[in-house]
Amino acid sequence: MHDRLTQSMRASHLLALLFVLASLGLAAIGAVTGDTFYLRLGTEALIFAGLALSVDLLLGYSGALSLGQALYFGIGAYVSALTLMKVPSFWLAMAAAFAASLLAAIIGGLIANRVRGVYFALITFGLAQVFAKVVYNTRELGASDGMIGIPVIEIGFGPFSVSAGSPVGFFLVVLSIIMGLYALTAYLLDTPFGRVLTALKANEKRVPFLGYSVWRARMAAYVLAGLIAGLSGALYPMLRGFVSPELMFFATSGNAVISVILGGVGTLIGAIYGSVLLVILKSIIGSWTEHHLIVIGALFMVCVMFLPKGLIGFVRPRIEALLMRRPQAGPALAEPARLTPAALKSGSAS
Amino acid sequence: MLQISALHSHYGLSHVIQGIDIEAAPGEVIGIFGRNGVGKTTLLKTIAGWVKPSQGAIRLGGEALDGLTPDRICHAGVGFVPEDRRIFPGLTVEENLSLGLLQVKGRSSRDEKRVVEGIYDRFHRLGERRHQLGTTLSGGEQQMLAMARVMVGKPRLVLIDEPSEGLAPMIVAEIFAIVRELREQGAIILLVEQNIHEALSVADRFHVVERGQIVFSGEAENAGDRERLLKLIAV
C-alpha cells in the first residue's frame, strides 16, 4: 500500500541515500588527503546519530520524550569497553552491549512506562542521572575519570578485517552499522507495528479499540530505542579508546534531543542529519569561541521558531510531493465532495 | 451467543449499570433504548472493557469477557463504534483501515490489500479518499470509516453507539444499511440509538433501559411492544 507513511519513508530513504553518498565522498577525500581529524569527527557524529535515532523513535513515533536516553548509550559504551579490555573482539563487545542494553531497557521500560508525558520525561531523566552517579562513584569502573586504555581492535568480516585505528576503515564500519540501524528502524515503522506507534502518538486511548495493547507497544518501542542507543554507545570506546560517566549525563541526552529537533522530529533520517549538524556546529563554533554553547543555543531557538519541523521536516514534504506525482503513487487526493443523492445511490455517501 | 447476566458497573461511587441481563444469538440486532443518562453508553463501554464491571458476567460464544482489557476483548471478536467515532484524524483513510486489520491473526499483506479493496468497493467515497487524512472527512465519512474499520476485523459482536447522531437523513439510511450487512454476516449487534424508528427498522428485539436497569423488553415487529416502547421513552 503506497499510503502517506510509505511515501514519507520513501522520501526519507532518498535522503538516507544522499547521506550515504556524501559520507562515502568524505571517506574518499579523507583517504586521498590522509585526513584524520574530520573522519574521526564524522565517526563521532555518526555514533551520536545512533543515539539521536533512538530518541526520534520514541519522540517522533510514540510521542514519548526521553531525557535519559544516554543511559543506554552509556551502558553500551561501558559494557563494550569492559569486554574489549578482557577480550578484544568487536563482535563479542557488540553482543555484550546488545544483551546489557536489552536488559537495562526492559527494566527501564517497566519503570518509565508506568507514566506518561512530562512524568515519563522526568523518570527517564532520573534513571539516567542515578545510574550515571553510581558509575561516577564506582572505583571499579574508573569512577569520575572513566576507563582508559581500551585496545585498538581489528574488526573481522570473514576473510577481511578493518582496524578501529584506521580513520577511513572505522568510519565506514560505523556508517554501515548506523545506516543498518536506520534501515531496520525504518522497516519496522513501515510494518503494522509502526502504524500502532503512529496511532499511539495520535491518540493513545483509541488504540485498545483496535485490539492492541498500549503498554506492549510502548514497551516494544522503548526497548528497541534502548537497543539502538546501546549498540551506538558500544562503538564509542572503539573510536576514543576511553569511556567516562559524562556519556550518561544529561548533556548527552539533551544533545540527542536537540539533534532530533534540528533534523526534524518523526523523520528518522532527520535525527542523523541533525546529529551531524550539531557535531559540526560544535566543532566549528568551538574553534572560534569557548562560549560555543551560547551560539548553538541561539541557533537552536532560531531553528525551533522558523523551522519547527526541522531541516528534514522542511525538505521531505517537497520530495514527497515529487514522489506523489509519479503514476504508481495512486490517485491524487480527492477534493471534499458535496453530498448528493446520486452519490448516495452509487454507495458513496459523504 | 452473547450472554450478559447480572451486570453491574460504577463510575466512582455512582452505580450506573444495576443488574442488566441480555442474551443474543448470532445475526441478531438488539436495540438499546432509553433517555439520556440512563446508562446505555456505559453498558456498551462495560462490554468493551472501558468500564470495569463491578459484578456480573459477559460471555461471548462461551468465552468470558468480563475483567479482560479492551485490547483482549477486541481480540475476542468485539468491535466497538463509539459515539465520537474515534477514528485517527492524523492518519489517512487507508492507515485507519489498516489499523483495524491488526486484530486479524495470520493476515498476509495480500489479504490486507484484498480486504481493504473490498471496503473501497463497498464504500466508494472512502476509496476516493484513501490518501486523505481523517480530519478532512465529513461526519458521515468518518462514521463510515469507523464502521468499516470494525468490519475489516470481522467481529462476532458489534457495539454501536448513536451511529446516526448529527448526520443527514440520507447518510443515516446508508449507516443502517451497513448495520444490516453486518447482521447478514452473522454478527450480533447491540445498537444504542436515539432515532427509534430507524433503529426499529433493523432491530429484531429491543430493551428499554432506565436508571441502569432493563425495564421493558420487546420484539421490534410487535406493534404492541413498539407502542409501549414509545410510551416509555415518551417520543
Side-chain angles (χ1 to χ4, degrees):
Chain A
M1 280 187 244
H2 286 297
D3 56 22
R4 185 178 53 88
L5 286 181
T6 311
Q7 282 305 345
S8 300
M9 281 298 174
R10 289 176 69 203
S12 289
H13 296 343
L14 275 178
L15 288 162
L17 186 65
L18 191 69
F19 182 84
V20 171
L21 290 174
S23 301
L24 291 176
L26 174 71
I29 293 167
V32 171
T33 60
D35 166 69
T36 304
F37 177 75
Y38 285 107
L39 278 172
R40 290 285 178 189
L41 192 68
T43 309
E44 188 172 311
L46 281 171
I47 291 172
F48 283 109
L51 176 61
L53 187 68
S54 77
V55 170
D56 195 27
L57 172 63
L58 288 175
L59 180 61
Y61 290 87
S62 67
L65 171 63
S66 170
L67 293 180
Q69 208 56 15
L71 168 64
Y72 306 108
F73 185 85
I75 287 173
Y78 267 86
V79 170
S80 169
L82 287 166
T83 310
L84 291 173
M85 288 172 87
K86 297 270 183 214
V87 185
S89 160
F90 172 79
W91 297 109
L92 191 63
M94 293 302 279
F98 179 92
S101 47
L102 174 68
L103 183 66
I106 290 172
I107 296 168
L110 287 171
I111 299 167
N113 278 318
R114 295 168 68 87
V115 289
R116 303 282 184 273
V118 70
Y119 303 104
F120 176 87
L122 289 174
I123 284 202
T124 50
F125 167 78
L127 280 173
Q129 289 300 104
V130 167
F131 206 84
K133 279 291 172 195
V134 169
V135 172
Y136 191 86
N137 291 302
T138 304
R139 198 181 294 263
E140 289 73 20
L141 295 174
S144 59
D145 294 332
M147 292 163 67
I148 53 169
I150 294 151
V152 176
I153 52 162
E154 288 290 318
I155 304 164
F157 297 99
F160 307 103
S161 71
V162 175
S163 169
S166 154
V168 177
F170 192 59
F171 175 80
L172 292 175
V173 168
V174 173
L175 177 67
S176 312
I177 291 171
I178 298 301
M179 293 318 287
L181 289 174
Y182 162 78
L184 175 74
T185 312
Y187 169 76
L188 287 173
L189 291 174
D190 211 19
T191 62
F193 169 67
R195 300 279 189 279
V196 173
L197 289 188
T198 313
L200 268 184
K201 193 183 172 190
N203 194 326
E204 189 176 303
K205 286 183 179 165
R206 297 179 188 190
V207 171
F209 279 118
L210 309 168
Y212 220 88
S213 160
V214 169
W215 184 84
R216 227 177 295 161
R218 282 175 62 104
M219 269 301 283
Y222 191 87
V223 170
L224 182 61
L227 279 175
I228 293 169
L231 288 174
S232 307
L235 298 167
Y236 188 86
M238 299 175 196
L239 174 73
R240 292 294 176 210
F242 74 94
V243 286
S244 66
E246 280 82 4
L247 289 177
M248 295 181 191
F249 282 1
F250 175 67
T252 309
S253 299
N255 279 340
V257 174
I258 290 173
S259 298
V260 170
I261 293 170
L262 281 178
V265 179
T267 61
L268 279 194
I269 193 66
I272 296 175
Y273 275 97
S275 176
V276 171
L277 193 66
L278 188 66
V279 170
I280 290 171
L281 281 175
K282 276 165 81 173
S283 174
I284 293 173
I285 300 168
S287 65
W288 296 337
T289 170
E290 62 185 68
H291 304 298
H292 62 282
L293 287 178
I294 296 173
V295 182
I296 289 170
L299 278 173
F300 176 66
M301 283 193 286
V302 168
C303 178
V304 169
M305 285 164 73
F306 297 104
L307 278 177
K309 290 182 177 173
L311 184 68
I312 300 303
F314 177 75
V315 173
R316 196 171 70 173
R318 284 146 184 85
I319 297 173
E320 276 175 49
L322 284 174
L323 291 171
M324 289 292 275
R325 278 189 210 141
R326 292 170 66 185
Q328 71 267 30
L333 298 186
E335 288 299 318
R338 287 177 182 279
L339 173 70
T340 63
L344 277 170
K345 215 175 247 179
S346 68
S348 58
S350 60
Chain B
M1 188 82 180
L2 170 71
Q3 292 165 303
I4 298 172
S5 52
L7 189 68
H8 290 256
S9 64
H10 290 73
Y11 278 131
L13 292 175
S14 176
H15 192 177
V16 184
I17 301 297
Q18 304 181 14
I20 280 186
D21 300 279
I22 295 175
E23 283 204 357
E28 260 196 309
V29 178
I30 310 291
I32 310 288
F33 305 129
R35 294 195 182 93
N36 285 337
V38 296
K40 306 185 296 292
T41 297
T42 306
L43 171 64
L44 297 194
K45 283 184 174 173
T46 308
I47 298 167
W50 280 94
V51 177
K52 216 167 185 178
S54 35
Q55 210 181 309
I58 306 165
R59 300 183 80 83
L60 180 64
E63 187 181 348
L65 302 183
D66 45 281
L68 296 184
T69 52
D71 57 296
R72 293 185 68 183
I73 289 175
C74 182
H75 273 291
V78 180
F80 187 19
V81 184
E83 197 177 352
D84 59 2
R85 289 146 200 160
R86 292 189 185 247
I87 63 160
F88 291 93
L91 301 185
T92 64
V93 167
E94 192 141 307
E95 288 158 9
N96 267 284
L97 285 175
S98 70
L99 282 171
L101 282 161
L102 290 174
Q103 61 191 281
V104 182
K105 283 177 189 158
R107 72 194 180 281
S108 66
S109 58
R110 190 181 289 179
D111 293 338
E112 202 168 296
K113 200 164 186 175
R114 188 175 44 76
V115 171
V116 171
E117 287 302 328
I119 290 291
Y120 293 150
D121 285 343
R122 171 64 187 81
F123 305 105
H124 295 156
R125 179 65 75 204
L126 294 183
E128 286 166 18
R129 295 170 188 277
R130 63 177 73 182
H131 297 298
Q132 272 188 241
L133 295 179
T135 189
T136 66
L137 301 181
S138 69
E141 287 165 349
Q142 286 190 20
Q143 185 62 274
M144 274 180 199
L145 179 55
M147 295 192 74
R149 200 177 57 194
V150 165
M151 281 172 86
V152 297
K154 300 219 179 300
R156 291 186 289 163
L157 168 64
V158 186
L159 312 169
I160 309 176
D161 195 7
E162 306 274 10
S164 71
E165 195 190 30
L167 300 181
M170 282 185 292
I171 312 282
V172 172
E174 181 70 10
I175 297 294
F176 280 98
I178 300 168
V179 175
R180 284 187 192 93
E181 273 178 44
L182 282 166
R183 177 176 62 186
E184 280 158 22
Q185 288 167 13
I188 301 167
I189 297 161
L190 292 193
L191 175 66
V192 168
E193 180 57 64
Q194 295 284 5
N195 187 339
I196 302 290
H197 297 289
E198 200 68 59
L200 286 174
S201 73
V202 292
D204 300 292
R205 293 185 289 121
F206 62 84
H207 299 290
V208 179
V209 178
E210 243 180 56
R211 289 189 209 136
Q213 293 176 326
I214 291 176
V215 292
F216 178 65
S217 301
E219 303 280 337
E221 293 290 318
N222 186 311
D225 288 348
R226 289 168 80 116
E227 200 177 321
R228 176 94 191 272
L229 161 69
L230 296 179
K231 270 186 190 161
L232 274 169
I233 56 173
V235 174

